[in-house]
Amino acid sequence: MTVPPAKPDAIILLVEDDRRNSELTRVMLKIAGYNNMIYAESGKDVARVVEPYAHIDLVLCDIQMPGEDGYQLYERLRRMPQLQNTPIIAVTALVMPDDVTRVEEAGFNGFMGKPFNFDRFGGQIGRILAGESVWEAR
Amino acid sequence: MQIFRGRGKESTGALRTEEMKALAGVDAVQLATLASLLSGEKDTNGVLDKALNWLHKNAGSRAVVCYRYDEAGHTLSNPMSAGNAPTDLPPSIRVGQTVYGDVARDRVPIFANNLDRDPRFGPKAENAISAYVFPIVHQQALYAIIAAQSEHDLSQEQIALIKSATPIIASVMGLTQQLYDARRAQLTFDRLQSLAQRLTTQLETGQLLQDVVNAGREMLDTDISILLNLNEQLGELHPVAWSGIQDETAKLFRVRSRDDIKGLVAWAKKPARSSDLRTDQRTGTVSFAETAGMISEMAVPVMYGDILLGILAVEAKTFRRFTDPEMELLQSLASHAGVAMRNAQLFEDLRTVNRKMERAVADTTIARQQAENARIAAVEATRLKTEFINNMSHELRTPLNTIINFTRIMSDGHTGEVTEQQGQYLGFVRESGEHLLGLINDILDMAKIEAGRMEIRKEFTSIEPILRGVMSTAVGLTRENNLSLKLNIPADLPNVEIDTRRIRQVLLNLVSNAAKFTQKGSLTLGAERRKNQIVVYVKDTGIGIKPEDLDKVFEEFRQIDGSLAREQTGTGLGMPISKKFIELHGGEMWIQSQFGVGTTVYFSLPVLVQQSSQQMVGQQTGQSNATATSEFPAAEASESDITPDTTPDAAAV
């Protein structure tokens, strides 16, 4: 993990229903140098979690979630004032080409398949924050 | 007994003087009346009827008896009479029988007297003692024999009157017959024309045959017309169309023997006619036609070529001399019927063939439907399988994300110091997780390939950097066994159109397999050009594969059954997937192996032969030449040994 963080202070929102995976993401972001991860367990929590912040720098959003799924949530996220011009990345274990296509068609700005590649994870986040596009299914 | 039989000129000569006197006294007015009387009749029977009455009234005849001459049967028949003629007139007299028969034979009139004592005279009216029997002949055709009979001796004047009347009767008979024939011919012509029109436009065979039968009855002016079909199996004729008969009667009617005009025609395949069935010697006692009250009949065979299909017959309730033109007409109708019946037969055959074809088409349609259903079922099965595999992949990947990455985090010391053993065990957990992930990825690839959804993103490039990269990875894989690694790439390797990621995946699979099954010796990665393709190979000095197991290598989920192989991990999908990837590139993969000696896996990739690619090849070759000499001094023939120490970091791949 030698890649230095692109924006160490970046506010990164994770929407993820699996607590173990959210904890993993938090730890991996921390190892990569990003300490400001905020976390919503479902779409319902997003507004409450985002409320204190003026701007969110990056959203990592799971796709398969109970209730409101990632595709539906994307529409709501996009309309939030704090998420104007914010890259919204799908983080999902649905990695078939159809899934990637659907994510792209829904409007997401990137794709990171699970399991994450530990060695590349930090670099991917850094590239996204630098305005690059990342589409890595597996 | 004095019977004067006038024979030829001698008889007429003897009477000449008397005759001349008598003729002089013949009333011209009477003859003129006869001529106008007779000429009003439409048919010869009518003419004869009028003539007989005239003879009875004007020629002093007590009774007049007349027989029609039946040419076909060579008999006298259809007796007619006027005056006090006997009521029990025999229906027919054969030519040569009795005085009537003599006259018919000789065609010369006879004056006979003393009839009481003449056994050969008959039929004779009661009390008749003299008679003048004369033939009605017109233009060589004998129409009838008339016998004018008297209770007295006929006078010369009476005989002269009869003699004067004879040519008038004969010519009117002849003319009437000709007129009748001409009218019928005209009628026939008209009707034939309209019939021909109807027949050519009539497609329904049953109606066409009915048209033929109707035409026969109308045109020949008969009471009955009937068409019979020959049933060869039963050896009988049965009606198919009729006119003038009750349907119930017709349907039951069968002709089985020759004892009948129709049967005779069917047997001889020749036309036949009978003017008087009652006296016809050719038929049995009572024919069907006679039972139905028919007197004359004409029948012709219905043929198609030499084959008898049936017969067409017309029957009349009256004495009828069917003429040759009439027979020709009936034959013409029969030929129409023949064509129609033949067509009907062909049509029936065609319909049978059609039905068979329709059934075949229906069968094909069912088969196609079944195939389509099977296809739909297969598509649905594939869809369900894909859906299942996708779900399974998702459900396994989610926990594997934490298993693989948390163990890495821990073994990297992010959660504090780990002991050597803890580090080793964490490594085991991570390796197991990665193996599971590899399995899932292979299954996903296989599912994609099977669903025809594996996409190959080809680019025109050199394969050499990929080979070198894979070689670097192999260093790590073979470190344990300390295998000698060799790379053999010729300088002029042309560019190929490949999905670099997939080709790398294939090569990594081949190299890791080779490393897995090779305990000592060497592992060689090489490439060479062969015509329009390049062939890449991975050669090891491992355990080898038995010849009988070679085919199993590319089967899915199959690992060669061997003690060492069983110790090795693997999904069993690596080789089949690799082979599919190569095939998606338009290449082939094959194996050569000697058990206990080693294995070489080859794959080919097509080289595009075109101007631009040739140029590219040149450029690339130049580059790769330089690279090859600097890093791996591999010449075309020699293999370069490399040691793990000299290779770049495997993680860079």
mmCIF file of all heavy atoms in Angstrom, chain B residues 502-503 505-511 513 533 535-538 550-551 553-554 573-584 586-592 600-605:
data_model
loop_
_atom_site.group_PDB
_atom_site.id
_atom_site.type_symbol
_atom_site.label_atom_id
_atom_site.label_comp_id
_atom_site.label_asym_id
_atom_site.label_seq_id
_atom_site.Cartn_x
_atom_site.Cartn_y
_atom_site.Cartn_z
ATOM 1 N N ARG B 502 -7.172 -12.629 -22.116
ATOM 2 C CA ARG B 502 -7.563 -14.048 -22.204
ATOM 3 C C ARG B 502 -6.372 -14.930 -22.555
ATOM 4 O O ARG B 502 -6.233 -16.022 -22.016
ATOM 5 C CB ARG B 502 -8.674 -14.223 -23.252
ATOM 6 C CG ARG B 502 -9.990 -13.510 -22.906
ATOM 7 C CD ARG B 502 -10.480 -13.904 -21.541
ATOM 8 N NE ARG B 502 -11.781 -13.310 -21.242
ATOM 9 C CZ ARG B 502 -12.353 -13.363 -20.048
ATOM 10 N NH1 ARG B 502 -11.728 -13.951 -19.026
ATOM 11 N NH2 ARG B 502 -13.534 -12.821 -19.853
ATOM 12 N N ILE B 503 -5.530 -14.451 -23.453
ATOM 13 C CA ILE B 503 -4.363 -15.252 -23.833
ATOM 14 C C ILE B 503 -3.429 -15.394 -22.628
ATOM 15 O O ILE B 503 -2.876 -16.465 -22.375
ATOM 16 C CB ILE B 503 -3.627 -14.611 -25.044
ATOM 17 C CG1 ILE B 503 -4.539 -14.673 -26.295
ATOM 18 C CG2 ILE B 503 -2.291 -15.301 -25.308
ATOM 19 C CD1 ILE B 503 -4.919 -16.072 -26.750
ATOM 20 N N GLN B 505 -4.438 -15.391 -19.567
ATOM 21 C CA GLN B 505 -5.145 -16.331 -18.692
ATOM 22 C C GLN B 505 -4.861 -17.774 -19.131
ATOM 23 O O GLN B 505 -4.576 -18.647 -18.301
ATOM 24 C CB GLN B 505 -6.656 -16.045 -18.769
ATOM 25 C CG GLN B 505 -7.476 -16.762 -17.701
ATOM 26 C CD GLN B 505 -8.969 -16.435 -17.839
ATOM 27 O OE1 GLN B 505 -9.321 -15.381 -18.376
ATOM 28 N NE2 GLN B 505 -9.821 -17.324 -17.357
ATOM 29 N N VAL B 506 -4.896 -18.012 -20.451
ATOM 30 C CA VAL B 506 -4.631 -19.339 -20.992
ATOM 31 C C VAL B 506 -3.205 -19.774 -20.656
ATOM 32 O O VAL B 506 -2.969 -20.870 -20.157
ATOM 33 C CB VAL B 506 -4.855 -19.360 -22.531
ATOM 34 C CG1 VAL B 506 -4.322 -20.647 -23.144
ATOM 35 C CG2 VAL B 506 -6.337 -19.197 -22.861
ATOM 36 N N LEU B 507 -2.270 -18.869 -20.928
ATOM 37 C CA LEU B 507 -0.862 -19.219 -20.713
ATOM 38 C C LEU B 507 -0.566 -19.464 -19.230
ATOM 39 O O LEU B 507 0.152 -20.396 -18.882
ATOM 40 C CB LEU B 507 0.036 -18.103 -21.264
ATOM 41 C CG LEU B 507 0.202 -18.125 -22.788
ATOM 42 C CD1 LEU B 507 0.769 -16.820 -23.286
ATOM 43 C CD2 LEU B 507 1.098 -19.301 -23.203
ATOM 44 N N LEU B 508 -1.148 -18.629 -18.351
ATOM 45 C CA LEU B 508 -0.957 -18.823 -16.911
ATOM 46 C C LEU B 508 -1.495 -20.183 -16.485
ATOM 47 O O LEU B 508 -0.887 -20.888 -15.680
ATOM 48 C CB LEU B 508 -1.643 -17.706 -16.115
ATOM 49 C CG LEU B 508 -0.879 -16.381 -16.061
ATOM 50 C CD1 LEU B 508 -1.747 -15.287 -15.436
ATOM 51 C CD2 LEU B 508 0.421 -16.542 -15.269
ATOM 52 N N ASN B 509 -2.624 -20.541 -17.053
ATOM 53 C CA ASN B 509 -3.229 -21.839 -16.728
ATOM 54 C C ASN B 509 -2.315 -22.983 -17.163
ATOM 55 O O ASN B 509 -2.064 -23.909 -16.399
ATOM 56 C CB ASN B 509 -4.598 -21.950 -17.409
ATOM 57 C CG ASN B 509 -5.244 -23.300 -17.177
ATOM 58 O OD1 ASN B 509 -5.492 -23.668 -16.044
ATOM 59 N ND2 ASN B 509 -5.476 -24.035 -18.257
ATOM 60 N N LEU B 510 -1.797 -22.865 -18.399
ATOM 61 C CA LEU B 510 -0.925 -23.926 -18.919
ATOM 62 C C LEU B 510 0.356 -24.026 -18.108
ATOM 63 O O LEU B 510 0.818 -25.109 -17.754
ATOM 64 C CB LEU B 510 -0.591 -23.676 -20.402
ATOM 65 C CG LEU B 510 -1.771 -23.693 -21.388
ATOM 66 C CD1 LEU B 510 -1.261 -23.518 -22.816
ATOM 67 C CD2 LEU B 510 -2.569 -24.982 -21.264
ATOM 68 N N VAL B 511 0.929 -22.882 -17.810
ATOM 69 C CA VAL B 511 2.192 -22.871 -17.071
ATOM 70 C C VAL B 511 1.990 -23.382 -15.647
ATOM 71 O O VAL B 511 2.782 -24.172 -15.138
ATOM 72 C CB VAL B 511 2.812 -21.446 -17.091
ATOM 73 C CG1 VAL B 511 3.931 -21.315 -16.064
ATOM 74 C CG2 VAL B 511 3.333 -21.127 -18.485
ATOM 75 N N ASN B 513 -0.315 -25.430 -14.624
ATOM 76 C CA ASN B 513 -0.533 -26.876 -14.732
ATOM 77 C C ASN B 513 0.796 -27.600 -14.865
ATOM 78 O O ASN B 513 1.050 -28.590 -14.179
ATOM 79 C CB ASN B 513 -1.387 -27.206 -15.972
ATOM 80 C CG ASN B 513 -2.872 -27.116 -15.671
ATOM 81 O OD1 ASN B 513 -3.262 -27.035 -14.506
ATOM 82 N ND2 ASN B 513 -3.689 -27.123 -16.724
ATOM 83 N N GLN B 533 -0.118 -19.189 -39.268
ATOM 84 C CA GLN B 533 -0.445 -19.139 -37.851
ATOM 85 C C GLN B 533 0.828 -19.185 -37.016
ATOM 86 O O GLN B 533 1.881 -19.567 -37.507
ATOM 87 C CB GLN B 533 -1.383 -20.290 -37.481
ATOM 88 C CG GLN B 533 -0.841 -21.662 -37.868
ATOM 89 C CD GLN B 533 -1.874 -22.752 -37.647
ATOM 90 O OE1 GLN B 533 -3.065 -22.495 -37.625
ATOM 91 N NE2 GLN B 533 -1.411 -23.965 -37.446
ATOM 92 N N VAL B 535 2.280 -20.915 -33.490
ATOM 93 C CA VAL B 535 1.976 -21.981 -32.549
ATOM 94 C C VAL B 535 2.763 -21.704 -31.271
ATOM 95 O O VAL B 535 3.977 -21.493 -31.294
ATOM 96 C CB VAL B 535 2.356 -23.359 -33.130
ATOM 97 C CG1 VAL B 535 2.182 -24.448 -32.073
ATOM 98 C CG2 VAL B 535 1.507 -23.662 -34.351
ATOM 99 N N VAL B 536 2.008 -21.648 -30.162
ATOM 100 C CA VAL B 536 2.616 -21.404 -28.858
ATOM 101 C C VAL B 536 2.577 -22.726 -28.100
ATOM 102 O O VAL B 536 1.616 -23.487 -28.242
ATOM 103 C CB VAL B 536 1.826 -20.312 -28.091
ATOM 104 C CG1 VAL B 536 2.458 -20.054 -26.721
ATOM 105 C CG2 VAL B 536 1.766 -19.023 -28.915
ATOM 106 N N TYR B 537 3.622 -23.046 -27.334
ATOM 107 C CA TYR B 537 3.611 -24.316 -26.607
ATOM 108 C C TYR B 537 4.187 -24.164 -25.215
ATOM 109 O O TYR B 537 5.012 -23.284 -24.952
ATOM 110 C CB TYR B 537 4.366 -25.408 -27.379
ATOM 111 C CG TYR B 537 5.808 -25.086 -27.665
ATOM 112 C CD1 TYR B 537 6.809 -25.437 -26.763
ATOM 113 C CD2 TYR B 537 6.154 -24.445 -28.847
ATOM 114 C CE1 TYR B 537 8.132 -25.151 -27.029
ATOM 115 C CE2 TYR B 537 7.477 -24.140 -29.114
ATOM 116 C CZ TYR B 537 8.463 -24.496 -28.210
ATOM 117 O OH TYR B 537 9.758 -24.194 -28.471
ATOM 118 N N VAL B 538 3.718 -25.009 -24.327
ATOM 119 C CA VAL B 538 4.233 -25.097 -22.969
ATOM 120 C C VAL B 538 4.664 -26.547 -22.776
ATOM 121 O O VAL B 538 3.831 -27.451 -22.832
ATOM 122 C CB VAL B 538 3.174 -24.689 -21.917
ATOM 123 C CG1 VAL B 538 3.730 -24.859 -20.512
ATOM 124 C CG2 VAL B 538 2.716 -23.257 -22.152
ATOM 125 N N LEU B 550 -5.697 -38.757 -22.741
ATOM 126 C CA LEU B 550 -5.452 -37.486 -23.437
ATOM 127 C C LEU B 550 -6.731 -36.716 -23.750
ATOM 128 O O LEU B 550 -6.804 -35.510 -23.569
ATOM 129 C CB LEU B 550 -4.668 -37.736 -24.746
ATOM 130 C CG LEU B 550 -3.142 -37.725 -24.609
ATOM 131 C CD1 LEU B 550 -2.491 -38.050 -25.935
ATOM 132 C CD2 LEU B 550 -2.648 -36.373 -24.094
ATOM 133 N N ASP B 551 -7.765 -37.457 -24.219
ATOM 134 C CA ASP B 551 -9.015 -36.785 -24.601
ATOM 135 C C ASP B 551 -9.733 -36.177 -23.404
ATOM 136 O O ASP B 551 -10.502 -35.234 -23.548
ATOM 137 C CB ASP B 551 -9.955 -37.779 -25.303
ATOM 138 C CG ASP B 551 -9.436 -38.136 -26.687
ATOM 139 O OD1 ASP B 551 -8.575 -37.388 -27.177
ATOM 140 O OD2 ASP B 551 -9.901 -39.148 -27.251
ATOM 141 N N VAL B 553 -8.542 -34.570 -21.001
ATOM 142 C CA VAL B 553 -7.937 -33.327 -20.510
ATOM 143 C C VAL B 553 -8.854 -32.134 -20.743
ATOM 144 O O VAL B 553 -8.981 -31.254 -19.895
ATOM 145 C CB VAL B 553 -6.570 -33.092 -21.188
ATOM 146 C CG1 VAL B 553 -6.031 -31.715 -20.838
ATOM 147 C CG2 VAL B 553 -5.582 -34.174 -20.761
ATOM 148 N N PHE B 554 -9.542 -32.144 -21.917
ATOM 149 C CA PHE B 554 -10.383 -30.975 -22.252
ATOM 150 C C PHE B 554 -11.829 -31.133 -21.809
ATOM 151 O O PHE B 554 -12.678 -30.314 -22.114
ATOM 152 C CB PHE B 554 -10.305 -30.702 -23.759
ATOM 153 C CG PHE B 554 -8.930 -30.303 -24.202
ATOM 154 C CD1 PHE B 554 -8.218 -31.071 -25.098
ATOM 155 C CD2 PHE B 554 -8.347 -29.144 -23.698
ATOM 156 C CE1 PHE B 554 -6.950 -30.700 -25.506
ATOM 157 C CE2 PHE B 554 -7.073 -28.772 -24.104
ATOM 158 C CZ PHE B 554 -6.360 -29.548 -25.008
ATOM 159 N N LEU B 573 -11.650 -27.021 -14.664
ATOM 160 C CA LEU B 573 -12.227 -26.207 -15.748
ATOM 161 C C LEU B 573 -11.172 -25.451 -16.541
ATOM 162 O O LEU B 573 -11.447 -24.933 -17.614
ATOM 163 C CB LEU B 573 -13.244 -25.214 -15.177
ATOM 164 C CG LEU B 573 -14.591 -25.797 -14.787
ATOM 165 C CD1 LEU B 573 -15.400 -24.747 -14.035
ATOM 166 C CD2 LEU B 573 -15.361 -26.285 -15.997
ATOM 167 N N GLY B 574 -9.975 -25.413 -15.994
ATOM 168 C CA GLY B 574 -8.918 -24.614 -16.613
ATOM 169 C C GLY B 574 -8.657 -24.985 -18.058
ATOM 170 O O GLY B 574 -8.640 -24.111 -18.927
ATOM 171 N N MET B 575 -8.449 -26.271 -18.336
ATOM 172 C CA MET B 575 -8.125 -26.694 -19.696
ATOM 173 C C MET B 575 -9.295 -26.491 -20.661
ATOM 174 O O MET B 575 -9.107 -25.948 -21.751
ATOM 175 C CB MET B 575 -7.640 -28.156 -19.707
ATOM 176 C CG MET B 575 -6.244 -28.334 -19.128
ATOM 177 S SD MET B 575 -5.004 -27.305 -19.937
ATOM 178 C CE MET B 575 -4.713 -28.282 -21.406
ATOM 179 N N PRO B 576 -10.520 -26.939 -20.310
ATOM 180 C CA PRO B 576 -11.642 -26.692 -21.246
ATOM 181 C C PRO B 576 -11.842 -25.206 -21.538
ATOM 182 O O PRO B 576 -12.096 -24.825 -22.671
ATOM 183 C CB PRO B 576 -12.860 -27.274 -20.536
ATOM 184 C CG PRO B 576 -12.369 -28.057 -19.391
ATOM 185 C CD PRO B 576 -10.926 -27.743 -19.165
ATOM 186 N N ILE B 577 -11.688 -24.363 -20.519
ATOM 187 C CA ILE B 577 -11.868 -22.920 -20.735
ATOM 188 C C ILE B 577 -10.762 -22.389 -21.655
ATOM 189 O O ILE B 577 -11.022 -21.642 -22.596
ATOM 190 C CB ILE B 577 -11.886 -22.153 -19.385
ATOM 191 C CG1 ILE B 577 -13.182 -22.463 -18.634
ATOM 192 C CG2 ILE B 577 -11.748 -20.656 -19.609
ATOM 193 C CD1 ILE B 577 -13.194 -21.960 -17.207
ATOM 194 N N SER B 578 -9.528 -22.831 -21.385
ATOM 195 C CA SER B 578 -8.404 -22.385 -22.215
ATOM 196 C C SER B 578 -8.644 -22.754 -23.673
ATOM 197 O O SER B 578 -8.429 -21.948 -24.581
ATOM 198 C CB SER B 578 -7.102 -23.037 -21.728
ATOM 199 O OG SER B 578 -6.817 -22.583 -20.414
ATOM 200 N N LYS B 579 -9.078 -23.995 -23.874
ATOM 201 C CA LYS B 579 -9.322 -24.478 -25.238
ATOM 202 C C LYS B 579 -10.404 -23.608 -25.913
ATOM 203 O O LYS B 579 -10.270 -23.212 -27.068
ATOM 204 C CB LYS B 579 -9.780 -25.939 -25.181
ATOM 205 C CG LYS B 579 -9.885 -26.600 -26.550
ATOM 206 C CD LYS B 579 -10.061 -28.099 -26.377
ATOM 207 C CE LYS B 579 -9.885 -28.850 -27.691
ATOM 208 N NZ LYS B 579 -11.065 -28.788 -28.534
ATOM 209 N N LYS B 580 -11.452 -23.289 -25.158
ATOM 210 C CA LYS B 580 -12.544 -22.467 -25.720
ATOM 211 C C LYS B 580 -12.042 -21.070 -26.084
ATOM 212 O O LYS B 580 -12.405 -20.528 -27.126
ATOM 213 C CB LYS B 580 -13.703 -22.357 -24.711
ATOM 214 C CG LYS B 580 -14.459 -23.670 -24.544
ATOM 215 C CD LYS B 580 -15.514 -23.848 -25.632
ATOM 216 C CE LYS B 580 -16.009 -25.280 -25.766
ATOM 217 N NZ LYS B 580 -16.490 -25.883 -24.532
ATOM 218 N N PHE B 581 -11.206 -20.516 -25.212
ATOM 219 C CA PHE B 581 -10.662 -19.187 -25.505
ATOM 220 C C PHE B 581 -9.871 -19.195 -26.812
ATOM 221 O O PHE B 581 -10.003 -18.304 -27.637
ATOM 222 C CB PHE B 581 -9.755 -18.713 -24.354
ATOM 223 C CG PHE B 581 -10.516 -18.131 -23.188
ATOM 224 C CD1 PHE B 581 -10.048 -18.275 -21.879
ATOM 225 C CD2 PHE B 581 -11.691 -17.405 -23.396
ATOM 226 C CE1 PHE B 581 -10.745 -17.730 -20.812
ATOM 227 C CE2 PHE B 581 -12.383 -16.860 -22.324
ATOM 228 C CZ PHE B 581 -11.913 -17.026 -21.034
ATOM 229 N N ILE B 582 -9.034 -20.226 -26.962
ATOM 230 C CA ILE B 582 -8.225 -20.326 -28.188
ATOM 231 C C ILE B 582 -9.148 -20.489 -29.397
ATOM 232 O O ILE B 582 -8.936 -19.865 -30.443
ATOM 233 C CB ILE B 582 -7.217 -21.495 -28.079
ATOM 234 C CG1 ILE B 582 -6.195 -21.218 -26.963
ATOM 235 C CG2 ILE B 582 -6.517 -21.713 -29.415
ATOM 236 C CD1 ILE B 582 -5.419 -19.900 -27.111
ATOM 237 N N GLU B 583 -10.177 -21.298 -29.252
ATOM 238 C CA GLU B 583 -11.116 -21.506 -30.361
ATOM 239 C C GLU B 583 -11.858 -20.211 -30.704
ATOM 240 O O GLU B 583 -12.161 -19.950 -31.862
ATOM 241 C CB GLU B 583 -12.103 -22.629 -30.022
ATOM 242 C CG GLU B 583 -11.458 -24.009 -30.156
ATOM 243 C CD GLU B 583 -12.269 -25.124 -29.518
ATOM 244 O OE1 GLU B 583 -13.348 -24.847 -28.964
ATOM 245 O OE2 GLU B 583 -11.805 -26.268 -29.577
ATOM 246 N N LEU B 584 -12.142 -19.405 -29.668
ATOM 247 C CA LEU B 584 -12.785 -18.106 -29.923
ATOM 248 C C LEU B 584 -11.860 -17.166 -30.697
ATOM 249 O O LEU B 584 -12.318 -16.237 -31.338
ATOM 250 C CB LEU B 584 -13.219 -17.456 -28.606
ATOM 251 C CG LEU B 584 -14.460 -18.074 -27.935
ATOM 252 C CD1 LEU B 584 -14.614 -17.529 -26.510
ATOM 253 C CD2 LEU B 584 -15.719 -17.786 -28.738
ATOM 254 N N GLY B 586 -10.122 -18.352 -33.118
ATOM 255 C CA GLY B 586 -9.968 -18.987 -34.423
ATOM 256 C C GLY B 586 -8.784 -19.945 -34.453
ATOM 257 O O GLY B 586 -8.333 -20.359 -35.519
ATOM 258 N N GLY B 587 -8.296 -20.312 -33.288
ATOM 259 C CA GLY B 587 -7.162 -21.232 -33.230
ATOM 260 C C GLY B 587 -7.561 -22.598 -32.681
ATOM 261 O O GLY B 587 -8.745 -22.887 -32.515
ATOM 262 N N GLU B 588 -6.550 -23.419 -32.443
ATOM 263 C CA GLU B 588 -6.791 -24.772 -31.933
ATOM 264 C C GLU B 588 -5.847 -25.048 -30.775
ATOM 265 O O GLU B 588 -4.782 -24.436 -30.674
ATOM 266 C CB GLU B 588 -6.513 -25.804 -33.023
ATOM 267 C CG GLU B 588 -7.600 -25.912 -34.075
ATOM 268 C CD GLU B 588 -7.183 -26.873 -35.176
ATOM 269 O OE1 GLU B 588 -7.364 -28.086 -34.998
ATOM 270 O OE2 GLU B 588 -6.627 -26.385 -36.172
ATOM 271 N N MET B 589 -6.233 -26.014 -29.922
ATOM 272 C CA MET B 589 -5.344 -26.421 -28.828
ATOM 273 C C MET B 589 -5.242 -27.930 -28.835
ATOM 274 O O MET B 589 -6.241 -28.616 -29.022
ATOM 275 C CB MET B 589 -5.900 -25.918 -27.491
ATOM 276 C CG MET B 589 -5.028 -26.316 -26.299
ATOM 277 S SD MET B 589 -5.622 -25.615 -24.752
ATOM 278 C CE MET B 589 -4.889 -23.995 -24.807
ATOM 279 N N TRP B 590 -4.050 -28.434 -28.663
ATOM 280 C CA TRP B 590 -3.868 -29.890 -28.635
ATOM 281 C C TRP B 590 -2.715 -30.261 -27.720
ATOM 282 O O TRP B 590 -1.935 -29.390 -27.300
ATOM 283 C CB TRP B 590 -3.676 -30.436 -30.040
ATOM 284 C CG TRP B 590 -2.398 -30.038 -30.741
ATOM 285 C CD1 TRP B 590 -1.264 -30.784 -30.834
ATOM 286 C CD2 TRP B 590 -2.134 -28.814 -31.432
ATOM 287 N NE1 TRP B 590 -0.319 -30.117 -31.542
ATOM 288 C CE2 TRP B 590 -0.810 -28.901 -31.937
ATOM 289 C CE3 TRP B 590 -2.884 -27.655 -31.688
ATOM 290 C CZ2 TRP B 590 -0.214 -27.880 -32.671
ATOM 291 C CZ3 TRP B 590 -2.284 -26.639 -32.412
ATOM 292 C CH2 TRP B 590 -0.977 -26.743 -32.907
ATOM 293 N N ILE B 591 -2.608 -31.545 -27.423
ATOM 294 C CA ILE B 591 -1.623 -32.001 -26.438
ATOM 295 C C ILE B 591 -0.803 -33.149 -27.018
ATOM 296 O O ILE B 591 -1.346 -34.025 -27.699
ATOM 297 C CB ILE B 591 -2.340 -32.508 -25.162
ATOM 298 C CG1 ILE B 591 -3.019 -31.344 -24.437
ATOM 299 C CG2 ILE B 591 -1.355 -33.187 -24.213
ATOM 300 C CD1 ILE B 591 -3.687 -31.745 -23.145
ATOM 301 N N GLN B 592 0.480 -33.135 -26.728
ATOM 302 C CA GLN B 592 1.312 -34.306 -26.982
ATOM 303 C C GLN B 592 1.909 -34.705 -25.650
ATOM 304 O O GLN B 592 2.383 -33.845 -24.902
ATOM 305 C CB GLN B 592 2.437 -33.962 -27.976
ATOM 306 C CG GLN B 592 1.959 -33.976 -29.416
ATOM 307 C CD GLN B 592 3.068 -33.622 -30.379
ATOM 308 O OE1 GLN B 592 4.169 -33.282 -29.981
ATOM 309 N NE2 GLN B 592 2.749 -33.717 -31.656
ATOM 310 N N THR B 600 3.505 -31.708 -23.679
ATOM 311 C CA THR B 600 3.555 -30.418 -24.349
ATOM 312 C C THR B 600 2.137 -30.044 -24.778
ATOM 313 O O THR B 600 1.453 -30.833 -25.430
ATOM 314 C CB THR B 600 4.463 -30.453 -25.595
ATOM 315 O OG1 THR B 600 5.717 -31.014 -25.216
ATOM 316 C CG2 THR B 600 4.654 -29.056 -26.164
ATOM 317 N N VAL B 601 1.715 -28.870 -24.355
ATOM 318 C CA VAL B 601 0.399 -28.365 -24.776
ATOM 319 C C VAL B 601 0.657 -27.280 -25.817
ATOM 320 O O VAL B 601 1.474 -26.378 -25.593
ATOM 321 C CB VAL B 601 -0.394 -27.782 -23.594
ATOM 322 C CG1 VAL B 601 -1.766 -27.323 -24.057
ATOM 323 C CG2 VAL B 601 -0.534 -28.817 -22.480
ATOM 324 N N TYR B 602 0.000 -27.401 -26.966
ATOM 325 C CA TYR B 602 0.164 -26.436 -28.044
ATOM 326 C C TYR B 602 -1.127 -25.661 -28.261
ATOM 327 O O TYR B 602 -2.219 -26.187 -28.041
ATOM 328 C CB TYR B 602 0.458 -27.155 -29.378
ATOM 329 C CG TYR B 602 1.710 -27.994 -29.393
ATOM 330 C CD1 TYR B 602 1.681 -29.317 -28.967
ATOM 331 C CD2 TYR B 602 2.898 -27.461 -29.882
ATOM 332 C CE1 TYR B 602 2.822 -30.108 -29.001
ATOM 333 C CE2 TYR B 602 4.054 -28.248 -29.931
ATOM 334 C CZ TYR B 602 4.004 -29.569 -29.481
ATOM 335 O OH TYR B 602 5.131 -30.334 -29.538
ATOM 336 N N PHE B 603 -1.024 -24.430 -28.691
ATOM 337 C CA PHE B 603 -2.193 -23.768 -29.265
ATOM 338 C C PHE B 603 -1.752 -22.895 -30.429
ATOM 339 O O PHE B 603 -0.614 -22.416 -30.468
ATOM 340 C CB PHE B 603 -3.033 -23.005 -28.235
ATOM 341 C CG PHE B 603 -2.378 -21.810 -27.608
ATOM 342 C CD1 PHE B 603 -2.369 -20.567 -28.261
ATOM 343 C CD2 PHE B 603 -1.835 -21.901 -26.328
ATOM 344 C CE1 PHE B 603 -1.809 -19.463 -27.657
ATOM 345 C CE2 PHE B 603 -1.257 -20.796 -25.720
ATOM 346 C CZ PHE B 603 -1.236 -19.571 -26.380
ATOM 347 N N SER B 604 -2.649 -22.773 -31.403
ATOM 348 C CA SER B 604 -2.334 -21.981 -32.587
ATOM 349 C C SER B 604 -3.190 -20.727 -32.601
ATOM 350 O O SER B 604 -4.298 -20.708 -32.042
ATOM 351 C CB SER B 604 -2.615 -22.805 -33.850
ATOM 352 O OG SER B 604 -3.983 -23.143 -33.912
ATOM 353 N N LEU B 605 -2.665 -19.679 -33.223
ATOM 354 C CA LEU B 605 -3.419 -18.432 -33.403
ATOM 355 C C LEU B 605 -3.240 -18.010 -34.856
ATOM 356 O O LEU B 605 -2.114 -18.028 -35.359
ATOM 357 C CB LEU B 605 -2.887 -17.346 -32.471
ATOM 358 C CG LEU B 605 -3.117 -17.564 -30.974
ATOM 359 C CD1 LEU B 605 -2.276 -16.585 -30.160
ATOM 360 C CD2 LEU B 605 -4.599 -17.421 -30.611
#
